């Protein structure tokens, strides 16, 4: 085969690949701009291959039990006086750090309970208290006894899409009222490690949601489990409060458990490395181009077979199976990058584009045939 013919084929493969992404783009524009497709568009915009990989990990791996983070569930505990007693009890059991995922907003009618809570908080020198940032007004909601000279606090807001979406990332810090402030997760991780786990910056890190369980102790049973408290991160918060539930790649999750995954990610230094969009675009093009070339070579190979074998190899079912094997190989490589090296390569566009190769190839052959016909006529 001449070099000119090979170059012509490679050009054709590149054109088919480009057409494939153009066709995909047309369908994407329709999905995101026609109201009838809005549920599909909303789902697609928040989908990541991470979700698929986590499902695989959950089905093949047993969940590890964290030996770092313990959660004390206070869903049923509403008395500030009893919460103060619980904080004192847990603090006396010598955790490395105690994260209080509760915002004690405003004073209550029971001034004695408020005073007791404030006094206890002042004695818990290894505690980190939560507060909430209000994005619309650049204000914050703190516990009534904050700020305190010796008390640490951090905001518990997690990044997400403006109108919903899964919680996937943690904040290291944010600029609030012109000042860079640390997140609750960073504060807890730093106290536990006894050093700065990551430099304070206004940035996000991807949480690693690999299968992991946390010991959850109902608050009345805390004293029965000293081995789950001493030298650990102890997060005190509600595990069954519906208003504090969030959707994550691991499904619906309590806010305190979400914070636990974030703390583990910082302490283990196994945050996911999300591949930048421009690298994803180039990788997607190369992968789809490779599939286009392999598909063409397969069809040429099948065309040389005896008539019966040729018929079997070229029917849509068989060609579809070959394409499925190619997709499976690509997804497997992506999964290995994810599970072994914590690299998140979004293959959504790659897989979606491969589905349109047949259409794009037919379009290319039709146009090419018309051009050839005009030249010879």
């Amino acid at each position: 085969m001449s070099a000119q013919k090979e170059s012509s084929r490679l050009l054709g493969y590149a054109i088919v690949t480009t057409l494939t992404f153009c066709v995909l783009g047309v369908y994407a524009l329709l999905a995101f701009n026609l109201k009838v497709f809005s549920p599909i568009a909303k789902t697609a915009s928040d989908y990541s291959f991470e979700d698929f990989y986590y499902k695989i990990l959950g089905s093949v791996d047993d969940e590890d039990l964290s030996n770092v983070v313990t959660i004390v569930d206070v869903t049923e505990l509403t008395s500030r006086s009893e919460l103060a007693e619980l904080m004192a009890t847990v603090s006396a059991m010598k955790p490395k750090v105690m994260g209080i995922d509760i915002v004690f907003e405003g004073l209550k009618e029971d001034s004695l309970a408020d005073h007791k809570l404030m006094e206890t908080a002042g004695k818990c020198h290894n505690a980190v208290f939560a507060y909430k940032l209000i994005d619309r007004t650049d204000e914050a909601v703190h516990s009534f006894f904050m700020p305190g000279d010796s008390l640490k606090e951090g905001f518990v807001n997690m990044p997400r899409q403006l109108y919903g979406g899964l919680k996937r990332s943690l904040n290291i810090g944010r600029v609030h009222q012109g000042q860079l402030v640390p997140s609750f997760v960073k504060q807890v991780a730093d106290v536990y490690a006894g050093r700065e786990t990551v430099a304070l910056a206004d940035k996000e890190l991807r949480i690693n949601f690999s299968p992991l369980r946390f010991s959850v102790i109902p608050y009345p049973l805390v004293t029965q489990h000293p081995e789950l408290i001493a030298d650990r991160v102890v997060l005190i918060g509600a595990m069954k409060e519906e208003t504090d539930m969030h959707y994550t790649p691991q499904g619906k999750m309590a806010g305190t458990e979400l914070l636990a995954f974030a703390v583990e990610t910082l302490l283990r230094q196994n945050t996911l490395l999300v591949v930048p969009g421009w690298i994803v675009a180039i990788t997607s093009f190369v992968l789809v181009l490779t599939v286009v070339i392999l598909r063409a070579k397969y069809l040429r190979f099948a065309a040389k077979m005896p008539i019966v074998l040729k018929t079997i190899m070229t029917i849509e079912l068989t060609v579809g199976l070959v394409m499925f094997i190619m997709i499976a190989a690509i997804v497997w490589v992506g999964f290995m990058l994810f599970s072994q090296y914590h690299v998140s390569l979004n293959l959504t566009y790659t897989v979606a584009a491969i589905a349109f190769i047949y259409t794009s190839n037919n379009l290319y052959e039709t146009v090419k045939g018309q051009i050839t016909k005009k030249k010879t006529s």
Side-chain angles (χ1 to χ4, degrees):
M1 183 175 58
S2 67
Q4 184 178 0
K5 189 173 182 181
E6 180 64 20
S7 298
S8 177
R9 279 183 176 175
L10 288 175
L11 178 61
Y13 299 148
I15 293 172
V16 170
T17 303
T18 304
L19 282 173
T20 299
F21 282 101
C22 290
V23 172
L24 175 62
V26 170
Y27 277 92
L29 285 173
L30 290 174
F32 282 93
N33 289 282
L34 296 181
K35 288 185 178 180
V36 68
F37 294 120
S38 58
I40 299 174
K42 185 176 180 181
T43 301
S45 65
D46 195 45
Y47 180 76
S48 169
F49 251 76
E50 291 174 24
D51 308 337
F52 177 63
Y53 294 148
Y54 282 128
K55 293 298 181 184
I56 297 176
L57 285 174
S59 64
V60 299
D61 289 346
D62 292 329
E63 289 182 326
D64 292 328
L65 180 64
S66 173
N67 59 1
V68 174
V69 179
T70 297
I71 297 173
V72 177
D73 183 17
V74 294
T75 304
E76 305 299 327
L77 187 56
T78 57
S79 166
R80 285 189 171 180
S81 178
E82 292 181 13
L83 279 165
E85 291 175 6
L86 175 65
M87 288 164 52
T89 299
V90 172
S91 182
M93 296 171 74
K94 301 189 182 307
K96 274 196 175 181
V97 58
M98 184 168 60
I100 314 299
D101 184 26
I102 306 168
V103 180
F104 301 98
E105 185 178 357
L107 296 169
K108 300 294 183 182
E109 293 181 3
D110 188 349
S111 59
L112 291 177
D114 288 338
H115 178 75
K116 184 177 181 179
L117 182 61
M118 181 168 59
E119 187 177 44
T120 303
K123 294 177 181 178
C124 296
H125 300 298
N126 64 340
V128 176
F129 293 89
Y131 73 92
K132 297 177 182 178
L133 297 176
I134 303 175
D135 295 323
R136 297 186 304 274
T137 60
D138 199 28
E139 295 179 351
V141 179
H142 299 264
S143 293
F144 70 89
F145 48 79
M146 299 299 291
D149 293 337
S150 61
L151 300 180
K152 290 186 175 64
E153 64 173 350
F155 64 87
V156 289
N157 304 62
M158 289 286 199
R160 66 176 176 85
Q161 291 185 8
L162 182 60
Y163 298 110
L166 301 185
K167 300 289 181 69
R168 303 180 188 277
S169 304
L170 65 95
N171 281 112
I172 298 301
R174 280 176 58 176
V175 175
H176 173 61
Q177 295 183 349
Q179 183 178 358
L180 183 60
V181 294
S183 68
F184 178 87
V185 172
K186 173 176 164 51
Q187 291 278 59
V188 169
D190 287 355
V191 173
Y192 177 86
R195 58 178 175 79
E196 190 173 54
T197 52
V198 62
L200 179 60
D202 185 359
K203 69 175 184 179
E204 302 173 7
L205 293 178
R206 206 71 150 194
I207 299 172
N208 192 319
F209 284 102
S210 296
L212 186 66
R213 288 187 299 112
F214 300 98
S215 298
V216 179
I217 309 173
Y219 74 90
L221 306 180
V222 165
T223 55
Q224 297 179 24
H225 298 281
E227 76 284 358
L228 298 178
I229 301 295
D231 296 322
R232 289 197 176 206
V233 173
V234 177
L235 299 180
I236 298 177
M239 288 292 287
K240 301 170 186 175
E241 184 68 51
E242 189 60 33
T243 56
D244 190 32
M245 289 292 177
H246 307 272
Y247 289 98
T248 74
Q250 288 286 21
K252 200 173 181 181
M253 185 179 293
T256 304
E257 187 177 6
L258 178 58
L259 292 171
F261 271 103
V263 170
E264 281 272 0
T265 299
L266 273 192
L267 291 175
R268 291 174 182 250
Q269 297 289 299
N270 65 349
T271 183
L272 296 180
L273 174 62
V274 180
V275 177
W278 66 272
I279 295 181
V280 172
I282 293 173
T283 304
S284 295
F285 188 89
V286 171
L287 288 173
V288 174
L289 176 61
T290 302
V291 173
V292 169
I293 294 172
L294 291 176
R295 178 181 180 275
K297 286 182 178 294
Y298 168 80
L299 291 174
R300 286 202 303 273
F301 173 77
K304 298 176 183 178
M305 294 293 106
I307 186 65
V308 175
L309 193 57
K310 173 184 175 181
T311 302
I312 294 173
M313 293 179 68
T314 56
I315 61 173
E316 288 189 19
L317 180 62
T318 307
V319 176
L321 179 60
V322 171
M323 298 289 285
F324 175 79
I325 293 171
M326 293 184 197
I327 292 173
I330 291 171
V331 172
W332 181 81
V333 171
F335 175 70
M336 294 306 295
L337 287 172
F338 181 83
S339 61
Q340 300 298 318
Y341 303 103
H342 308 304
V343 174
S344 177
L345 175 62
N346 193 349
L347 294 172
T348 304
Y349 298 108
T350 304
V351 174
I354 290 173
F356 292 107
I357 288 176
Y358 177 80
T359 302
S360 301
N361 190 73
N362 283 349
L363 179 61
Y364 171 72
E365 292 296 341
T366 301
V367 174
K368 182 181 176 183
Q370 291 295 324
I371 293 173
T372 304
K373 187 177 179 180
K374 283 186 178 181
K375 285 182 177 180
T376 57
S377 62

